[in-house]
Amino acid sequence: MTENGRDGRELVRVPAGELERTAAGIFAAAGCEADEAERIAVELVGANLAGHDSHGVVRVPFYVSLLRAGHVRAGRSVEIVTDGGAFALLDGQFGFGQTIAPQAVALGIERASRDGICVVALRNSGHVGRVGAYAETALAAGLISIHLVNVAGSPLVAPFGGVERRFSTAPFSVGVPLPDRPLVLDFATSLVAEGKVQVASFGGPALPSDALVEPDGSASSDPHTLYGEYGPTDMRTPGNGAGAIRAFGGHKGSGLALMCELLAGAFTGGGCAGPVDGPRGRISNGMLSIYLSPRHFGTQAEFEQVGREYVEWVLSTRPTEPGGEVLLPGEQEARTKAARLADGVPLPPAEWAAIQEVAAEVGAA
Ligand code: NAD
């Protein structure tokens, strides 16, 4: 199957296993232990498989640059700052998010499975990637989970009515474990995730026409609005552009972004999106996660039956267009994963070239 990117060039299809081995080799050569290198690679490729290329291997060169600059550290573990039993505050020590977040999630799952509920506030984690992956882990344990995330030190998004960057892309995710119909809602509160601007800049799918905003308030879909000037395989630097990404959903999405900043950033103590030269001066994810066990609340049977019936009723609506369909949160990702496992992960050639360049640079096999 062939498919072309926005620049007209044919996308390269790389089998998921090969992509994982390539990315793992790069992280190992860049200084990670083999198990951490593999974990990062599996999570990044997992995002590609889910169709969220913005959080996939396009990030490899950037992660390597963060590691080299000491902004993210290999081989770290979460440190428990406050332990209240049903709640905990964890510090990620600026370790790789793909190591740190799974540790925080494991703690939340273990305690909620035992006690019915657990609230985990995580701060100072490296980039945690696709947040829905953590909701999926909780689903596998039969738990509902809610995650509010921010990116301290990374203002990229203009609030509703404004043009200047004030929020991070602050993602939000909810996982609901209905039998045979597990649901995972997972999105950035920006109109598009920053990585989607990055993927578009490499020749991937075009952005919606109003995804970005120029300093004069006009709408833009041109990645240069965010990154300024760049060469084909250059690393994209959001600080170089003059514009911003817009918050999704007008005033409502803008309000949700603000809450993610306050709860994942201020409440956890990890800091909000800005000002950039604030107390921490380093980019990190904060994540406030709530885990709930329907079994402990005594409503498992009702939850499953009423939830299933309700969801089927939602799906039974007549589509807006003949042949159209209504999807549940998480369905698109599951379909894309099945297709990409079969056909390989499609990558714009410039993105694949940038990954190979960094592989050569770090001396990966
Ligand atoms: P998106 O706009 O593609 O929205 C995804 C959500 O919408 C999913 O829940 C999906 O199942 C649902 N969906 C998609 N198509 C649908 C349809 N036709 N009908 C009904 N539901 C549908 O996602 P995004 O905002 O581009 O975010 C991409 C990824 O970026 C997410 O995984 C997010 O966690 C991640 N992210 C991470 C960070 C970070 O700092 N770690 C920051 C921003 C975003």
Side-chain angles (χ1 to χ4, degrees), residues 52 55 127 129-131 169 171 184-186 188 196 285 327 330 333:
H52 292 298
H55 286 67
H127 187 243
R130 184 174 75 93
V131 182
T169 52
V184 178
L185 180 67
D186 172 31
K196 290 208 164 121
N285 269 150
L327 296 182
E333 285 78 0

Side-chain angles (χ1 to χ4, degrees), residues 52 54-55 59 127-133 149-151 169-173 184-194 196 285 325-333:
H52 292 298
S54 55
H55 286 67
R59 304 256 169 177
H127 187 243
V128 301
R130 184 174 75 93
V131 182
V149 178
N150 88 320
V151 197
T169 52
F172 176 74
S173 180
V184 178
L185 180 67
D186 172 31
F187 56 74
T189 51
S190 47
L191 208 144
V192 290
E194 190 255 325
K196 290 208 164 121
N285 269 150
E325 62 178 337
V326 171
L327 296 182
L328 293 172
E331 227 171 335
Q332 188 62 56
E333 285 78 0

Side-chain angles (χ1 to χ4, degrees), residues 106-177:
L107 184 139
I109 289 176
E110 187 201 324
R111 294 188 179 185
S113 302
R114 188 188 64 202
D115 303 330
I117 183 167
C118 187
V119 181
V120 179
L122 172 66
R123 70 185 185 199
N124 298 336
S125 170
H127 187 243
V128 301
R130 184 174 75 93
V131 182
Y134 308 114
E136 285 169 5
T137 308
L139 282 185
L143 299 176
I144 296 168
S145 68
I146 303 163
H147 311 266
L148 292 98
V149 178
N150 88 320
V151 197
S154 177
L156 294 175
V157 180
F160 180 67
V163 293
E164 281 164 319
R165 305 174 180 194
R166 291 294 182 264
F167 304 144
S168 63
T169 52
F172 176 74
S173 180
V174 180
V176 175

